[in-house]
Amino acid sequence: MINGSVKITGEEFYNLLRKKYNVDGQKLYGNYSFKKWLKKESDSYSFQFNGNNPLKSVPKNWLVEAKDVKNKGGTINRNWFNEHFQKTNFNDCRASVAIWLIENN
């Protein structure tokens, strides 16, 4: 939300993140920090971060689609990522970071 009242689209949210996170080491939460925007073949960028594991990145489509679902009143959690992206045994920190970004930005 902008100023607590206007919902932004998933694409606008992604663009907001691109502007807000731009310095290697910016603190997210816990042991997680922003690393960089990782260029992908599709001319988009994934949100790359450091944490307890080797570098990981959250794809643009995860951020955009999850934010749009959240705006429509959907619940975004690990189960949603499992179902929506058809992952099995989805147990990695990318979903947690994506959820945190949506809930805290």
Side-chain angles (χ1 to χ4, degrees):
M1 290 192 183
I2 300 173
N3 296 329
S5 61
V6 178
K7 290 182 180 178
I8 61 174
T9 68
E11 196 68 39
E12 291 168 330
F13 173 67
Y14 171 79
N15 290 330
L16 175 78
L17 293 177
R18 292 280 322 247
K19 291 177 185 171
K20 181 174 181 178
Y21 294 99
N22 54 29
V23 176
D24 184 359
Q26 277 178 271
K27 179 87 168 146
L28 300 175
Y29 70 99
N31 292 332
Y32 297 110
S33 62
F34 173 76
K35 178 66 178 165
K36 68 179 181 178
W37 289 98
L38 182 63
K39 178 100 168 88
K40 304 307 269 184
E41 291 179 16
S42 62
D43 279 341
S44 69
Y45 293 82
S46 290
F47 185 95
Q48 192 175 55
F49 61 94
N50 289 316
N52 296 330
N53 298 311
L55 290 176
K56 298 258 185 173
S57 64
V58 179
K60 175 185 179 179
N61 66 310
W62 288 23
L63 295 168
V64 170
E65 292 175 39
K67 179 62 174 173
D68 286 338
V69 167
K70 177 81 173 171
N71 283 345
K72 294 175 185 170
T75 300
I76 302 301
N77 55 29
R78 284 181 178 265
N79 290 333
W80 182 86
F81 281 95
N82 274 342
E83 293 167 14
H84 192 73
F85 295 105
Q86 300 177 346
K87 302 286 184 190
T88 56
N89 298 320
F90 193 89
N91 186 21
D92 87 42
C93 55
R94 295 179 300 164
S96 297
V97 169
I99 293 164
W100 184 87
L101 288 168
I102 291 166
E103 298 295 332
N104 293 282
N105 288 281

